[in-house]
Amino acid sequence: MPENLRSQVVTQGVQRAPNRAMLRAVGFTDDDFTKPIVGLANGYSTITPCNLGLNDLAKRAEAGLTTAGAMAQMFGTITISDGISMGTEGMKYSLVSREVIADSIETACNGQSMDGVLAIGGCDKNMPGAMIAIARMNIPAIFVYGGTIKPGHLDGEDLTVVSAFEAVGKHSAGKIDDAKLKAVELNACPGAGSCGGMFTANTMSSAFEAMGMSLPYSSTMAAEDVEKADSAEKSAFVLVEAIRQQILPRHILTRKAFENAIAVIMAVGGSTNSVLHLLGIAHAAGVALSIDDFETIRAKVPVLCDLKPSGRYVTVNLHRAGGIPQVMKMLLVHDLLHGDALTISGQTIAEVLADVPDQPPADQDVIRPWDNPVYAQGHLAILKGNLATEGSVAKITGVKNPQITGPARVFESEEACLDAILAGKINSGDVIVVRYEGPKGGPGMREMLAPTSAIIGAGLGDSVGLITDGRFSGGTYGMVVGHVAPEAAVGGAIALVQEGDMITIDAHQRSLQLNVSDQELEQRRASWQPPKPRYTTGVLAKYATLVSSSSVGAVTDLDLD
């Protein structure tokens, strides 16, 4: 065993006897004190189908760690189900939970001097939360994804949770009746696993596989399939070897790894939230990454996969077509992936992909051939302008013409916006502005899946724009722009927009512009007053005090010195 194993503090010297006594109470014997102590961060809960199957995976991983010669120490961490909290005040806690998860894993592992950690997560914030902790601690680590949900089925159509949100909009627009709405609700989510399209959970699992922090093919496996449990156990063996070899996260989480992750996210049509999360992980890892890097890579990488929310297929279809390794091999062949980047197995990306075909299987159309992509360039555009001097994120897949100039319809909250949409008060050509929903202003940067799904359901997806300093669900698509920074709560220009102002969203020019003179904006700014904090105690108050701009990842430990 390496001489620098942190768990040796419990084996050396008479003064460690009390520590050994405590560990004997949980099952350690004399021989066990020479083994690496590995944390098993288990995000299991019954609060969401995303995390419902995690305990079974944790037990398989625990067995693997034991067989591989390590002492597994299992502990729990929280989750917030975005799909359940969506559209409620509770959604403000979702992004906050990323920090709670990161802090809890760091606290448990460093507090107990663990030699490594195997983190298991399902719902959206489990993954970036775990990876932020892993990057901070820099002890050998691997991430095990809980797996995707299988699609629901109704009338010959694959359903996801987003189908239920969109059905609400269709129902309000009179396009479906009560019975059809209920049928969608009953069939959308058939079992355990994270939301089934290329939404945030599957996007981040794909990113982690691309970065080398998870095993090949593991990011697209279905939660309920046997191969997912087998992969969890195999991950344990790989981690123990990484501990022996002292392969550390910061050996893997390099600038090249982040560029690989961004390229894969663009190729699969991933979530806008990936921008926020990769910036946060990069900060924790000490890697220089900016919001502009996403735009640079977007311009070079085509969208290769026809996946929901804007496409036809779900993640289990991608898995059957060759999964993330197939997408990565295509990018590698076309010099859009760093093949020399390291993975947790000790292999390089190129070595991992050596036996993967250069082209996708001919008998499927989930992964398009290189010369026939879904889109010639990536789908996550970084827009700037006088409305977003620090930047904003637009998801432009599924939009016929990602350009609009229209009158502002201003709302101070998500709830007010949704009420107007469902009441039929939003018209073709309008540009909806939802503000004071940013990291500080919300606080917590709520996702706007309910309003955007209602817009799609009402048939306005190609003719109504929506901008917000909040976020969007990975299930969102349409002419929408999120993460507008600076946010309204700190005096960003989005706070100065008035009802009827003309706003231009132009993804082609990567521009977000309020068509008001600089002089008028300065006059408005002079009379603007910051709002009183919505929370003055508790976790949301602490978060609002500490959180940074979304343009740098909405982290809570920026420049604390």
Side-chain angles (χ1 to χ4, degrees), residues 40-125:
L40 209 167
N42 183 1
Y44 166 72
S45 74
T46 59
I47 206 166
T48 171
C50 307
N51 291 40
L52 186 62
L54 298 191
N55 210 43
D56 292 337
L57 299 183
K59 290 177 180 177
R60 281 292 297 273
E62 183 179 41
L65 289 169
T66 300
T67 303
M71 296 303 292
Q73 301 294 286
M74 192 183 302
F75 61 91
T77 186
I78 66 159
T79 198
I80 297 294
S81 173
D82 292 5
I84 296 172
S85 65
M86 197 74 68
T88 73
E89 194 77 358
M91 187 64 195
K92 293 181 177 181
Y93 288 86
S94 172
L95 186 58
V96 177
S97 75
R98 185 188 77 175
E99 309 310 305
V100 176
I101 292 165
D103 292 350
S104 67
I105 294 174
E106 177 190 355
T107 300
C109 290
N110 281 349
Q112 300 303 141
S113 299
M114 293 176 182
D115 299 306
V117 62
L118 186 152
I120 303 181
C123 201
D124 295 2
K125 307 310 174 295

Side-chain angles (χ1 to χ4, degrees), residues 143-164:
F143 186 84
V144 174
Y145 179 41
T148 185
I149 196 171
K150 294 180 179 180
H153 302 286
L154 182 65
D155 299 332
E157 179 185 357
D158 283 348
L159 301 182
T160 69
V161 66
V162 176
S163 305

Side-chain angles (χ1 to χ4, degrees), residues 383 387-393 434 438-439 445 466-471 481-488 492-494 512 549-551:
L383 309 188
L387 256 179
T389 55
E390 292 179 13
S392 60
V393 184
V434 184
M445 211 178 178
L466 190 154
I467 70 171
T468 180
D469 50 8
R471 296 182 295 130
V481 184
H483 308 198
V484 171
E487 63 174 291
I494 191 173
L512 182 62
S549 170
S550 60
S551 64

Side-chain angles (χ1 to χ4, degrees), residues 278-289:
L278 287 182
L279 289 172
I281 297 164
H283 168 72
V287 171
L289 188 74

Side-chain angles (χ1 to χ4, degrees), residues 209-214 247 252 341-349 352:
E209 182 177 327
M211 297 171 92
M213 291 300 298
S214 296
I247 300 174
I252 301 167
L342 184 66
T343 73
I344 186 61
S345 70
Q347 296 174 290
T348 65
I349 290 291
V352 169

